[in-house]
Amino acid sequence: MIDLKKLEVWFITGSQDLYGEETLKQVAEHSQQIARSFNGASQIPVQVIFKPTVKSSEEIYHIIQEANTAKSCIGIIAWMHTFSPAKMWIGGLKIMQKPLLHLHTQFNRDIPWDSIDMDFMNLNQSAHGDREFGFMVSRMRLNRKVVVGHWQDPEVLEQIGGWSRVAAGWNDWQGAKFVRFGDNMRYVAVTEGDKVEAELKFGYAVNTYGVGDLVKVINAISDAEIDKLTVEYEEKYAVVASLRKGGAQYGSLREAAKIELGLQAFLQDGNYKGFTDTFEDLHGMVQLPGIAAQRLMGKGYGFAGEGDWKTAALVRAMKVMGSGLKGGNAFMEDYTYHFDPANPMVLGSHMLEVDESLADGKAKCEIHPLGIGGKADPVRLVFNVAGGPALNASVVDMGNRFRLIVNTVEAVTPEHDLPKLPVARVLWKPYPDMKTGCAAWILAGGAHHTSYSQNLTAINMEDFADMAGLEYVLIDKDTLLRQLKNELKWSDAYYKMKG
């Protein structure tokens, strides 16, 4: 689905000509060894590519210019093995378009107490070479990730791996296309936004097609394709009897399969990475795309309902970031509350479309009336989501900037059956507690639509915000409302001064 091993992070080591050929030879050997180790580390999902040591302004400019134009390069890891005068880096850093991780490490883990001499000191001086480089990056006000520790430390590998996943998500947005079938849900505010500014800032485009364009593709799907997909449904899911071949509602299952195949064909033909629709604008479709949206998300497409293109794009980015990890990333909505003082919880769901990658066990394939949309009863997957740590993320347009809001949560395994609620659903407890978490979300302007993740962390999302230039608001175990209110005020003042 999404193969991160096709992507590269370039490992660039800084030095200078001052130390002589023998020292520079050792610098190169050490750098190659570190890059090979990173490339074989299970924690790092992308390829790490060694690049020759840079020792001058011209070499630095050239390698960063090359990284900018290399389609497979999604980021740069920079390390100063020796001292690398940072004025040499100005030209390269000025044109750098790829995310930067500054690795503050050194080749040797320990000081060789009995043998250390000035030759060793001249070779292994990352402790102040990286400070010189760090000053210049800070002086130029460039966002970057700083990772500190020995290069063989598992924690360092985890941090580099997490950052590379985020860089893959950011890279996936560059030049991406998302399609919007119809317009936004009428009168809804938070799902709207400036699509031109989003393309300027994030690199992805959102354009609208009439539902008739989609219906034309759906109607061209062959009976043979539909037959094949309905067999797959019956093999993969617990399909209710009425939807099985020979059942009274088998025609509805075939219609759902036809919609899925048509949607997928439209997305593939247009090279789209995600889509959004709204139940108010699906003229010509027999039923709303329930199982279709659920399964297409399971294949890696971004999706959100009611014209919410920002969440559709975020779902896609988070799917790329979480590729290969246990758990899923999916469109979600805070639907209703359980305000029991002893056990308060949020019930998350949507009227049809929650990604099957979240399913705890085998999903059921069912058909039920929807109550809105004015269409035939839609087919959908019904399942519970397992308990465990998770987070909800929301991108909102604040007028003069985009804001990324993240709330860490603890999902709860349902204790009760929900026999009359035929949708996919998850229960969670927001941090730091129900009242504070919900109040903080509302104060920050968080949307009712989110991307729900079982495998990404708040640090991943903070790194993503840095790469994307997003304002970042975190609601977690340490959140205090008084402090959060101040942070929001300070942020408003900062962006007003920034212009």
Side-chain angles (χ1 to χ4, degrees):
M1 181 178 67
I2 300 168
D3 185 5
L4 298 186
K5 273 298 179 185
K6 293 180 179 179
L7 305 174
E8 298 174 356
V9 168
W10 288 8
F11 187 76
I12 300 175
T13 305
S15 187
Q16 60 179 325
D17 286 318
L18 177 68
Y19 302 107
E21 287 302 315
E22 185 57 34
T23 296
L24 289 173
K25 181 181 178 182
Q26 288 180 276
V27 168
E29 290 173 352
H30 291 171
S31 298
Q32 286 176 302
Q33 186 173 334
I34 293 173
R36 282 196 302 269
S37 177
F38 285 170
N39 202 34
S42 61
Q43 298 95 327
I44 301 175
V46 302
Q47 295 185 67
V48 179
I49 306 299
F50 164 79
K51 292 295 176 179
T53 308
V54 289
K55 310 174 295 297
S56 67
S57 299
E58 293 75 19
E59 291 176 352
I60 292 167
Y61 187 92
H62 175 76
I63 194 66
I64 292 180
Q65 186 180 52
E66 186 182 346
N68 285 343
T69 58
K71 289 185 177 180
S72 58
C73 177
I74 63 169
I76 292 169
I77 299 175
W79 171 50
M80 308 303 115
H81 192 314
T82 63
F83 197 76
S84 179
K87 286 174 70 177
M88 297 192 308
W89 286 86
I90 292 174
L93 291 174
K94 281 175 68 176
I95 66 166
M96 187 174 62
Q97 298 171 1
K98 300 294 172 80
L100 173 65
L101 183 146
H102 182 188
L103 178 61
H104 187 40
T105 190
Q106 62 186 27
F107 184 73
N108 59 297
R109 192 193 71 173
D110 303 326
I111 294 174
W113 305 107
D114 295 335
S115 61
I116 187 170
D117 56 19
M118 283 311 300
D119 288 338
F120 181 94
M121 296 277 276
N122 283 333
L123 174 63
N124 298 283
Q125 50 180 313
S126 303
H128 75 290
D130 277 328
R131 282 170 164 78
E132 168 76 356
F133 178 75
F135 162 75
M136 185 52 66
V137 182
S138 294
R139 173 69 177 79
M140 295 176 70
R141 273 64 170 183
L142 300 177
N143 287 340
R144 82 283 204 189
K145 175 82 169 179
V146 177
V147 175
V148 180
H150 190 251
W151 54 276
Q152 292 176 315
D153 183 345
E155 185 178 346
V156 167
L157 295 174
E158 289 286 351
Q159 290 182 61
I160 295 173
W163 171 84
S164 68
R165 287 183 172 279
V166 174
W170 172 245
N171 179 75
D172 188 74
W173 266 8
Q174 308 313 302
K177 297 192 299 180
F178 295 88
V179 61
R180 199 179 188 207
F181 296 113
D183 201 356
N184 196 60
M185 182 179 173
R186 298 179 195 115
Y187 303 110
V188 176
V190 76
T191 52
E192 284 282 16
D194 188 336
K195 295 190 287 294
V196 174
E197 185 64 22
E199 188 165 353
L200 285 167
K201 192 168 187 63
F202 304 138
Y204 66 74
V206 181
N207 287 293
T208 298
Y209 279 80
V211 179
D213 296 316
L214 173 60
V215 171
K216 183 178 179 181
V217 178
I218 291 172
N219 289 338
I221 299 299
S222 69
D223 287 340
E225 292 175 282
I226 296 171
D227 291 339
K228 183 178 179 181
L229 185 54
T230 55
V231 170
E232 181 181 329
Y233 288 167
E234 293 198 23
E235 290 175 347
K236 188 171 183 180
Y237 310 114
V239 180
V240 295
S242 65
L243 289 176
R244 290 182 173 271
K245 193 169 185 178
Q249 295 172 299
Y250 179 61
S252 295
L253 187 73
R254 289 181 59 81
E255 188 63 39
K258 183 178 177 181
I259 292 171
E260 178 183 336
L261 291 164
L263 265 169
Q264 182 167 307
F266 193 103
L267 296 172
Q268 288 176 339
D269 291 346
N271 195 29
Y272 293 104
K273 293 183 176 179
F275 69 103
T276 178
D277 60 24
T278 175
F279 62 90
E280 291 177 327
D281 191 2
L282 290 174
H283 180 71
M285 294 180 66
V286 176
Q287 59 180 263
L288 272 66
I291 191 172
Q294 291 176 294
R295 282 172 48 84
L296 287 169
M297 275 190 283
K299 294 176 181 179
Y301 289 101
F303 172 81
E306 290 96 53
D308 187 356
W309 52 270
K310 298 189 300 299
T311 302
L314 183 62
V315 168
R316 167 65 187 193
M318 291 172 67
K319 281 184 171 295
V320 173
M321 288 188 260
S323 179
L325 296 176
K326 183 179 179 181
N329 292 273
F331 172 54
M332 186 60 66
E333 180 171 274
D334 296 57
Y335 227 100
T336 194
Y337 291 142
H338 184 61
F339 269 137
D340 177 2
N343 189 31
M345 293 180 288
V346 179
L347 175 61
S349 183
H350 203 253
M351 58 186 187
L352 288 174
E353 315 97 340
V354 173
D355 187 346
E356 66 168 342
S357 67
L358 300 183
D360 184 17
K362 192 173 186 177
K364 298 177 181 177
C365 181
E366 302 180 0
I367 181 170
H368 301 275
L370 189 60
I372 59 175
K375 301 291 181 183
D377 298 347
V379 176
R380 82 288 301 272
L381 298 175
V382 178
F383 54 84
N384 288 329
V385 177
L391 61 80
N392 277 300
S394 171
V395 173
V396 295
D397 187 341
M398 297 301 293
N400 61 346
R401 81 274 194 189
F402 291 95
R403 172 182 285 172
L404 173 62
I405 307 159
V406 171
N407 184 200
T408 56
V409 305
E410 187 69 25
V412 179
T413 302
E415 298 178 358
H416 305 281
D417 292 331
L418 299 166
K420 294 185 178 181
L421 185 66
V423 292
R425 59 271 177 141
V426 56
L427 288 163
W428 69 75
K429 294 176 176 289
Y431 284 117
D433 57 70
M434 182 77 166
K435 290 182 178 180
T436 305
C438 292
W441 188 269
I442 289 172
L443 287 167
H448 54 286
H449 287 169
T450 63
S451 180
Y452 178 89
S453 178
Q454 296 173 313
N455 53 28
L456 298 177
T457 68
I459 292 174
N460 296 144
M461 302 311 297
E462 181 178 358
D463 288 344
F464 188 74
D466 284 342
M467 289 182 194
L470 281 158
E471 179 191 5
Y472 181 65
V473 177
L474 174 63
I475 304 164
D476 65 0
K477 293 180 180 179
D478 298 322
T479 295
L480 299 172
L481 282 183
R482 182 174 61 184
Q483 180 68 16
L484 179 74
K485 289 178 182 179
N486 283 333
E487 290 175 5
L488 294 173
K489 291 175 183 176
W490 299 333
S491 188
D492 273 336
Y494 167 79
Y495 281 97
K496 285 177 182 176
M497 288 189 294
K498 190 178 180 182

